[in-house]
């Protein structure tokens, strides 16, 4: 068994972390104080990793003032320069990838390759952002008036508030912050208090680059509870955009608060992702895709596969093979080699897992595998439950490795089961039949923001826009043209003639 205290001490030394850390950065680190601090506890074995101080109202006020001021300066610097700064940050993350990934593993419980993968996701979006910095294009239209030019431009929006969840404790911040900073915004980050240490570790590296480059404080960090920080951000008219990642319940609340003041929000809320496995699939590919989607990160990704809909002709064979994969998967400390399933984030999550398994059985589900804790602590067995269409629990997102299996006979039936949930984040179909594939991609097909063919619901690349429909909230982050949400669009009409001709042929003669 890895000695976690020893690993912690070594990693802390390399990253400049202490047992007590300031959790507030707004151009400088605010002194640590014991009152209101939060404790970072490793889900691996309950080890206390560190204490992180949290924001008071006065810290909040000061920080928003500082990033608002920084916005004026930053938004006026050329975008390619901004992109080059973000590239430097990615270069620095490359240097610290292993150490930072280990912090993610220790604090969020991700297995080593996933902890490293999370930092890689930050690095990737940083390099993407640099390319983007020379591609913030607007359209030019043909004006109906003589000697007129009509075009649209994208203008930096202002300070952006970013609220992130525990399960991607650093990558989701970078999806938002690196893109926002590239387009000219400044950001303030409120991370989940379950992963406060990771936020401090990330900001230590990022703030060093800011200091070396003599930048205004473009990125701020405010650890703190929902009331002091999150709620204030949602209501604060000085922050034109809030990007929130987390549960549907909290997202609905934040989204309502923001829209009440007619602010903008990007909501990336829960998923209830489904994979359809047809009789025309390559079973080896389908098994690996579903197993990864359902068990990776112990089922704690927004994109985790929570439901699998299998054609009746291969139903038993598929489930038997899946079950044997589940039986052989190594569960344990994420720092150990070969472990694929780490712990749940905390005891509350274990309780939710057990309650869902119980409810599913009460509602008529049949437990095929798992359904109970594994050893002590926060470890649970990944679980497969045969479900019937309409079981209420299968329409909920439980952040745990529980997979509900359904049988189907026609594609229409499979699609109906697939879409019959409130959430709409990610989806998959495993098939080699082009007609099934195209049906899945049609308007009658997957109603999700992300659709995958022959690969897992989880594990999206940064190059595409990330987000989903229905209760998932409709927001898009990361690649493609998601950058547009961090800017305001302005339609510009320019008259370079000697008269004022009016559109639609309207006359207004004032001789
Ligand atoms: C999330 O769970 O909030 O697609 C993000 C994936 C990861 C991101 C998930 N790249 O699984």
């Amino acid at each position: 068994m890895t000695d976690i205290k020893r690993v912690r001490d070594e990693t802390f030394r390399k990253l400049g972390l202490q047992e007590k850390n300031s959790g507030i950065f707004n151009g400088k680190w605010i002194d640590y104080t014991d009152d209101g601090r939060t404790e970072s506890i490793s889900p691996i074995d309950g080890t206390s990793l560190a204490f992180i101080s949290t924001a008071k109202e006065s810290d909040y006020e000061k920080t928003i003032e500082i990033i608002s001021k920084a916005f004026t300066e930053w938004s006026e610097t050329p975008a390619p320069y901004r992109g080059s700064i973000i590239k430097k940050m990615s270069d620095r993350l490359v240097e610290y990838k292993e150490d930072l990934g280990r912090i993610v593993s220790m604090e969020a419980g991700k297995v080593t390759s996933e902890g490293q993968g999370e930092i890689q996701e930050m690095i990737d979006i940083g390099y993407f952002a640099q390319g983007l910095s020379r591609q913030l294009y607007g359209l030019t239209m043909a004006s109906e008036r003589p000697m007129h030019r009509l075009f649209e431009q994208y203008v930096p929006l202002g300070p952006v508030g970013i609220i992130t969840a525990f399960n991607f404790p650093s990558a989701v911040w970078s999806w938002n912050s690196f893109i926002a900073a590239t387009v000219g915004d400044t950001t303030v980050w409120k991370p989940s208090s379950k992963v406060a240490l990771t936020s401090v570790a990330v900001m230590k590296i990022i703030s060093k680059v800011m200091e070396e480059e003599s930048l205004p404080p473009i990125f701020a960090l405010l650890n703190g509870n929902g009331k002091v920080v999150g709620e204030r951000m949602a209501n604060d008219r000085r922050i034109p955009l809030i990007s929130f990642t987390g549960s549907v319940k909290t997202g609905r609340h934040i989204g309502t608060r923001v829209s009440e003041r007619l602010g903008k929000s990007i909501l990336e809320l829960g998923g209830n992702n489904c994979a359809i496995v047809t009789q025309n699939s390559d079973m080896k590919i389908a098994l690996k895709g579903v197993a990864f989607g359902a068990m990776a990160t112990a089922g704690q990704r927004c994109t985790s596969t929570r439901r699998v809909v299998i054609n009746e002709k291969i139903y038993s064979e598929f489930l038997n093979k899946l079950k044997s994969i589940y039986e052989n998967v190594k569960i344990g400390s994420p720092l150990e080699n070969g472990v694929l399933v780490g712990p749940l984030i905390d005891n509350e999550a274990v309780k939710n897992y057990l309650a869902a398994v119980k409810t599913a059985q009460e509602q008529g589900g049949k437990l095929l595998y798992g359904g109970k804790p594994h050893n002590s602590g926060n470890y649970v067995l990944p679980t497969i439950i045969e479900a019937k269409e309409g079981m209420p629990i299968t329409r909920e997102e439980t952040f745990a490795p529980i997979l509900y299996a359904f049988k189907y006979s026609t594609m229409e039936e499979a699609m109906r089961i697939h879409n019959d949930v409130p959430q709409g984040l990610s989806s998959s179909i495993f098939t080699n039949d082009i007609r099934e594939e195209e049906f899945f991609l049609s308007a009658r097909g997957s109603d999700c923001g992300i659709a995958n063919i022959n690969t897992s619901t989880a594990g999206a690349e940064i190059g595409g826009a990330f987000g989903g429909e229905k209760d998932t909230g409709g927001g898009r982050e990361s690649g493609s043209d998601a950058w547009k949400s961090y800017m305001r669009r302005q339609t510009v009409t320019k008259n370079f003639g000697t008269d004022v001709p009016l559109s639609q042929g309207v006359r207004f003669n004032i001789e």
Side-chain angles (χ1 to χ4, degrees):
M1 197 58 185
T2 316
D3 177 357
I4 182 163
K5 283 222 166 85
R6 187 183 52 77
V7 176
R8 176 196 66 178
D9 292 347
E10 267 172 32
T11 314
F12 274 25
R13 235 188 335 270
K14 289 194 195 149
L15 293 174
L17 295 166
Q18 325 281 331
E19 212 152 316
K20 293 179 172 185
N21 304 277
S22 167
I24 307 150
F25 176 85
N26 57 22
K28 59 183 180 55
W29 289 95
I30 303 305
D31 286 345
Y32 174 91
T33 54
D34 269 327
D35 52 322
R37 68 186 183 180
T38 176
E39 187 177 14
S40 169
I41 296 170
S42 175
I44 298 175
D45 60 0
T47 298
S48 171
L49 296 171
F51 290 99
I52 291 95
S53 62
T54 55
K56 294 184 247 341
E57 281 178 42
S58 54
D59 296 319
Y60 176 87
E61 274 308 312
K62 188 98 198 276
T63 301
I64 303 303
E65 268 168 39
I66 287 171
I67 62 158
S68 301
K69 214 165 139 238
F71 170 74
T72 310
E73 186 183 337
W74 183 243
S75 59
E76 284 170 3
T77 59
Y81 166 74
R82 298 192 298 247
S84 72
I85 292 289
I86 303 303
K87 179 194 175 282
K88 282 196 177 120
M89 292 177 176
S90 269
D91 289 343
R92 197 61 57 86
L93 289 168
V94 171
E95 279 173 46
Y96 286 101
K97 179 175 165 184
E98 235 174 86
D99 301 307
L100 213 44
R102 204 174 307 112
I103 292 283
V104 170
S105 291
M106 283 193 291
E107 193 178 40
K110 291 194 181 195
V111 299
T112 302
S113 87
E114 289 190 43
Q116 303 291 309
E118 167 128 12
I119 310 309
Q120 188 60 46
E121 204 159 339
M122 302 179 79
I123 295 165
D124 292 342
I125 195 75
Y127 292 152
F128 173 92
Q130 187 190 22
L132 174 71
S133 70
R134 290 185 185 266
Q135 301 176 72
L136 304 173
Y137 306 136
L139 295 172
T140 301
M141 298 83 177
S143 171
E144 67 190 53
R145 286 171 278 184
M147 312 296 245
H148 274 60
R149 213 154 77 70
L150 183 60
F151 62 96
E152 55 187 24
Q153 64 161 347
Y154 286 87
V155 183
L157 194 58
V160 175
I162 297 163
I163 305 176
T164 58
F166 81 84
N167 65 333
F168 274 80
S170 60
V172 172
W173 171 75
S174 62
W175 292 356
N176 285 283
S177 279
F178 284 178
I179 299 296
T182 299
V183 305
D185 300 335
T186 53
T187 71
V188 55
W189 179 18
K190 188 228 168 296
S192 156
S193 48
K194 293 176 187 172
V195 285
L197 179 62
T198 301
S199 72
V200 173
V202 166
M203 199 51 80
K204 287 249 170 206
I205 293 167
I206 298 298
S207 64
K208 194 84 205 309
V209 179
M210 286 196 260
E211 190 190 312
E212 288 164 13
E213 300 293 325
S214 311
L215 297 182
I218 56 172
F219 297 134
L221 172 66
L222 277 178
N223 272 286
N225 70 34
K227 278 228 162 62
V228 177
V229 184
E231 191 72 22
R232 274 204 165 69
M233 276 162 77
N235 289 317
D236 196 329
R237 296 183 69 94
R238 293 169 294 181
I239 308 177
L241 170 67
I242 299 287
S243 175
F244 174 87
T245 305
S247 70
V248 173
K249 187 168 170 255
T250 313
R252 202 187 295 278
H253 174 76
I254 297 278
T256 308
R257 289 281 89 80
V258 176
S259 64
E260 250 167 25
R261 62 170 168 96
L262 302 179
K264 294 176 198 265
S265 52
I266 298 174
L267 301 174
E268 200 254 283
L269 313 180
N272 192 345
N273 318 297
C274 182
I276 297 175
V277 181
T278 86
Q279 71 280 24
N280 301 310
S281 62
D282 178 329
M283 198 174 284
K284 237 178 81 196
I285 288 180
L287 284 165
K288 188 163 178 184
V290 171
F292 169 75
M295 290 191 281
T297 328
Q300 298 171 108
R301 293 192 189 208
C302 296
T303 52
S304 292
T305 309
R306 311 216 175 274
R307 298 172 298 132
V308 58
V309 183
I310 311 157
N311 184 270
E312 59 187 0
K313 295 198 186 95
I314 55 161
Y315 182 79
S316 303
E317 186 192 353
F318 183 85
L319 278 184
N320 284 336
K321 288 189 169 151
L322 189 66
K323 201 174 141 197
S324 92
I325 295 174
Y326 271 58
E327 280 162 358
N328 290 303
V329 88
K330 203 166 156 193
I331 307 164
S333 165
L335 299 174
E336 304 287 330
N337 276 338
V339 167
L340 291 183
V341 178
L344 292 181
I345 188 69
D346 53 21
N347 189 251
E348 193 64 24
V350 176
K351 280 193 201 146
N352 291 340
Y353 158 89
L354 292 171
V357 169
K358 186 161 169 269
T359 307
Q361 287 173 289
E362 283 164 6
Q363 292 176 357
K366 190 174 149 213
L367 185 65
L368 275 194
Y369 184 78
K372 50 180 196 252
H374 173 78
N375 298 336
S376 55
N378 299 338
Y379 298 87
V380 300
L381 286 180
T383 298
I384 309 172
I385 294 174
E386 274 192 284
K388 294 196 185 70
E389 201 181 336
M391 271 169 53
I393 188 79
T394 65
R395 304 180 79 245
E396 286 173 29
E397 179 191 46
T398 304
F399 237 48
I402 301 173
L403 181 67
Y404 299 111
F406 300 83
K407 193 192 283 183
Y408 81 89
S409 56
T410 65
M411 263 312 274
E412 282 72 19
E413 188 190 357
M415 224 48 259
R416 186 184 66 226
I417 298 171
H418 178 285
N419 286 344
D420 186 26
V421 292
Q423 311 84 348
L425 180 56
S426 186
S427 57
S428 290
I429 189 167
F430 290 89
T431 180
N432 288 327
D433 181 317
I434 196 168
R435 293 202 177 93
E436 289 178 338
E437 187 187 307
E438 287 297 329
F439 178 63
F440 184 73
L441 295 178
S442 75
R444 287 193 297 143
S446 163
D447 61 3
C448 294
I450 299 170
N452 301 287
I453 316 290
N454 288 332
T455 191
S456 176
T457 61
E461 300 176 18
I462 59 97
F466 185 94
E469 304 301 327
K470 304 196 289 186
D471 277 8
T472 303
R476 291 296 184 279
E477 298 171 332
S478 196
S480 184
D481 67 350
W483 60 270
K484 289 181 177 168
S485 302
Y486 302 85
M487 304 197 82
R488 61 186 166 82
R489 183 204 297 238
Q490 192 170 58
T491 303
V492 184
T493 308
K494 194 199 274 188
N495 176 8
F496 55 94
T498 53
D499 194 3
V500 186
L502 300 172
S503 54
Q504 295 91 42
V506 171
R507 287 205 186 103
F508 194 78
N509 292 329
I510 51 164
E511 259 15 67

